[in-house]
Each structure stands twice: as C-alpha cells, then as structure tokens.
C-alpha cells in the first residue's frame, strides 16, 4: 500500500470509510512531512499541529460512528496566506500587516471546507500580497521546489503547490490573478485549477479585482473536482459570485474525451518560444487525447499578447494595495512590488478603461473561438523551474514575471476556467505542465479532460524524493 502522504483525498476518504486508517493517522503523517521539509522548501508560514490534530480526533470519532460531517471530513488541507483562516493572522507575505487582532473570520472557501470537516494544517507561503509568479517575500523568505531545492516553486501560490507535491496534505487552496495557481502547479508537478471567475466566492475582495480567482491545488483532477463540489458553495459576502452549481463536478468527470473538439496551440501562433522538452511532453499528451477519441486540430486563438493592458490592471491593483501604507511601511515592501506600485499609481482612469476595452475584446475573441473548439490545450509555461529567489530566469532579458508566463495571464483577463496538468519531466527531472482552457462556465470540461489524462496514465505526480538530478529534498518515507 502507498504511504499515507502519497494518497489522494479520494483514497484517504476510502480508507477512513473502510477503517484502514484514521484522520489522525493521515494528519500526523502530513504534519511530519511538512515539518521535515520545512528548512529546505519553506512551504509554510505557520503550522498549527495542535489544532489540526484536535480536528482530526473529532473527525475520527465521527467516522467511527459512521457519521462523517461532509465530503472532506478528516482530509488534511493547507490554505494560502492570502485567504482568511480564523484563529490566526493572515499576513499576506508582508511585514506591513499587524499580526495582532481577532482574526475571527474565514474566507468563503475556507468556511466551506470547515463545514465539510477538512483538517487545516496551516498557512502556506506567498510573495507579498501575491504580486508575482514566484514565491519569496520580506516576511517568509524564499520557497523552493521539492524536485530541486535550488529551483523556484513558482508563485504566487508556491507554498500551496510545494506542500501538495511534498505530501504535506493532498489538498491546498491557492489564488490566481495571472497564473498564480497554474504556474506553481506546473513547476511542482501537481494539478491546479483556476475556475471560472466567481465560481468560488472570494472575500475580502482582491485589490486586483476581477482578475483574481480562488482554486484547488491537488494531487489529481478527481481531488480537485471533489474540492470544487465543496468550495463552490455561494457566499453572500461576494457580490460577484456566481449562483449555485447545477450538478456535481465529481459526477461530471466521467465520459472521456471521445468526440471532444480540442484545439492544440503549441506556441500561440509562434508568439512564444517554448523549451523543446516542454513542447515534446505537451505534444505527447495531446497525441494521447487524439488516441482516446478527441478531434484534435492544431489551431491558435486569435490573440495578440495583452501584457500591456494586463500591466495596467495588475500594477494599478498593486498601487491600490500600497495606498493605505505610510512611508516607512512602503520602504519595507519587496523592492519589485514597490516599483510596480509606483508605476501603477501613474495610470489614469482612461488608461484603466482602455485596458478594460482590451480585456473585453479578448473575451469576445475567446468566446467565438470556443464556438468551434470545446477545449484549448497549450503548455502551462514555456519553461521548467529556474533558480530560486529570482523573479525572472537568469539571462532571459525579461523585466517582470509576466515575460515568462504568456500562456497564463490572458485567461485571467477573460475569466475562463484553466488548469495545469503534470504531463512529464524534462531532462533534469523537473515537471512539465499542460494547460487546459474552456469557455466560461465549462469548468466541468476542463476537469473531465484532465481526469481522462490521469486515467490514461499520461498525467500524474511523482514523489520528489524518488526523482534523480539536482539537489533533491531528503525527506524520509512517511509512516
């Protein structure tokens, strides 16, 4: 039998049901893995072992009585330190937030997980206010990749991705404003979903506005579907949340891809140079989709890079974050964040509205594209994980993180569901991610296509400690 830290949430729940092990066993194993990996990877801002074990004990008692509290009763989960988790501070990677306070409220997604009996291990690392595509901050330092600790875990949900890859709980919550779930999912070899905007309620509202989504980060697509069945519940605090889901994401996983119209865009029409190993792994997965009955066409969406408009929206949001800060607090900010805040403060209302125009046109074009194609496939990223502690790959010539993430941020602008699926490794043993994108409100198609890749053995997570190459994390087997 696999070690407990290697099991998915679905497998843990099956074991609880059969009495093979308990939520206490699973929680202890996850906490041990988190603690052992701490100095090397730095995935957690805070672990709360006592509270987690107390919740696990109560869950174990419910399972003994045959009365589980919900769909995720007893499953260990981590929460990105952007989202409120009552009982402890949410510091958002920043020294500007006072940890003292009541901290007595859950974010909507956290509240739904709590209602369903999930066991919270703690809070995971984030760059300051989630501003960039790698994870390091003045507060918590650098978060590293479990596959090679000299490399970045990606970001901004890098701590959540690293935790899942390590086996420190099969589930984590992340946020995604320009790729922040999908980027670290690709670099760390896990599954990450950015749902349709509003499908998972968000409170407090993000300063980055309707670019920001909340999504599951998991060991596979089935776990993400189960998590979506929980966190998609409505919450009155989010005025932009969508209505109740019609049906179950778990039930929608079945059916395969036969007859699905798949557009494969290897480089967005030649706009993006992609590393050969990444391109080859993604192409192999696409060929497997065709072998499973999908109608695959190499086709590019009618997109030009919207990075300038994205920067207006993103940098403007950053400036809004910093607006409340005094001079001394601003000096304590990550220098890169301070720089984009200054740029964002110079944009006008007309600049903002022009960026919104670009966004609406992008949405129109993708809407028309999905009249012809059910799913778009691209690489998640054009490269694998680079040196830790850097915003951009050394020698790349890029100025900001958006320079190496051209496949991700356009779909925050369009609010479409998009996921990263691990489909292999490069020559250094570093994970490669494939991105699946569908029309707004078709999260079910993204999950079903991803699940099919897992069922076919094309997608999957390998334990980092089992890989070769690089400076690997020395984590002993779990119990």
């Amino acid at each position: 039998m696999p070690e407990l830290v290697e099991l998915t949430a679905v497998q843990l729940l099956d074991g609880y049901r059969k009495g093979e092990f308990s939520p206490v066993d699973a929680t202890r194993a996850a906490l041990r893995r988190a603690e052992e990996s701490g100095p090397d990877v730095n995935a957690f801002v805070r672990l709360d072992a006592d509270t987690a074990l107390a919740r696990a004990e109560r869950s174990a008692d419910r399972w003994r009585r045959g009365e589980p509290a919900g769909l995720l009763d007893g499953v260990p989960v981590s929460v990105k330190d952007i989202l409120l988790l009552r009982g402890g501070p949410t510091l958002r990677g920043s020294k500007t937030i006072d940890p003292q306070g009541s901290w007595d409220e859950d974010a909507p997604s956290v509240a739904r997980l709590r209602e369903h009996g999930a066991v919270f291990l703690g809070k995971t690392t984030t760059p300051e206010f989630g501003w960039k595509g790698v994870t390091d901050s003045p507060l918590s330092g650098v978060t590293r990749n479990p596959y090679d600790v000299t490399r970045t875990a990606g970001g901004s949900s890098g701590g959540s991705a690293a935790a899942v890859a390590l086996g420190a709980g099969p589930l984590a919550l992340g946020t995604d404003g320009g790729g922040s779930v999908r980027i670290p999912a690709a670099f760390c070899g896990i599954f990450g979903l950015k749902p349709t905007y509003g499908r998972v309620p968000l409170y407090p509202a993000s300063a980055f506005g309707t670019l920001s989504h909340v999504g599951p980060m998991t060991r596979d697509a089935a776990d993400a579907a189960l998590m979506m069945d929980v966190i998609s519940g409505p919450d009155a605090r989010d005025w932009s949340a969508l209505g109740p889901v019609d049906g179950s994401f778990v039930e929608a996983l079945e059916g395969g891809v036969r007859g699905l119209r798949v557009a494969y865009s290897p480089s967005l029409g030649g706009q993006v140079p992609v590393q050969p190993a990444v391109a080859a792994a993604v192409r192999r997965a696409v060929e497997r989709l065709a072998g499973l009955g999908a109608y695959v066409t190499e086709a590019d969406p009618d997109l030009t890079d919207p990075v300038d408009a994205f920067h207006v929206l993103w940098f403007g949001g950053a400036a809004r974050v910093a607006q409340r800060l005094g001079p001394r607090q601003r000096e304590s900010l990550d220098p890169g964040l301070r720089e984009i805040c200054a740029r964002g403060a110079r944009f006008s209302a007309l600049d903002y509205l022009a960026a919104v125009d670009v966004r609406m046109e992008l949405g129109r074009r993708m809407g028309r594209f999905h009249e012809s194609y059910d799913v778009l496939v691209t690489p998640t990223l054009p490269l694998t994980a680079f040196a830790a502690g850097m915003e951009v790959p050394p020698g790349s010539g890029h100025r900001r993180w958006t320079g190496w993430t051209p496949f991700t941020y356009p779909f925050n602008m369009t609010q479409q569901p998009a996921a990263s699926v691990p489909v292999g490794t490069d020559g250094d043993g570093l994970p490669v991610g494939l991105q699946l994108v569908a029309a707004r409100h078709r999260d079910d198609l993204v999950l079903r296509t991803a699940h099919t890749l897992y069922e076919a053995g094309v997608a999957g997570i390998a334990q980092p400690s089992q890989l070769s190459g690089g400076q690997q994390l020395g984590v002993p087997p779990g119990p």
Side-chain angles (χ1 to χ4, degrees), residues 135-198:
T135 300
D136 58 76
S137 74
L139 183 70
S140 57
V142 178
T143 296
R144 300 173 181 275
N145 196 308
Y147 284 78
D148 180 342
V149 295
T150 70
R151 310 293 183 110
T152 180
S156 62
S157 306
S160 288
V164 173
L166 286 165
L171 307 179
L173 280 174
T175 63
D176 189 317
S180 290
V181 160
R182 290 159 289 153
I183 294 165
F187 278 175
C188 292
I190 69 163
F191 182 79
L193 172 67
K194 177 187 76 69
T196 299
Y197 178 79

Side-chain angles (χ1 to χ4, degrees), residues 206-227:
S206 171
F208 298 106
T210 58
L211 293 172
S212 295
H213 305 55
V214 178
M217 306 182 74
T218 61
R219 296 185 71 82
D220 63 15
D223 272 11
L226 179 60
M227 203 169 172

Side-chain angles (χ1 to χ4, degrees), residues 12 34 50 62 69 82 106 118 139 146 158 196 240 286 369 397 436 469:
L12 287 178
D50 291 344
R62 291 191 293 269
I82 290 287
D106 284 330
L139 183 70
T196 299
S240 63
V286 170
F369 184 80
L436 298 169

Side-chain angles (χ1 to χ4, degrees), residues 4-30:
L4 286 178
V5 293
E6 298 175 17
L7 299 182
T8 66
V10 170
Q11 291 169 328
L12 287 178
L13 291 164
D14 186 57
Y16 300 162
R17 195 173 296 111
K18 294 175 179 176
E20 295 173 347
F21 44 79
S22 78
V24 176
D25 300 325
T27 299
R28 283 180 176 155

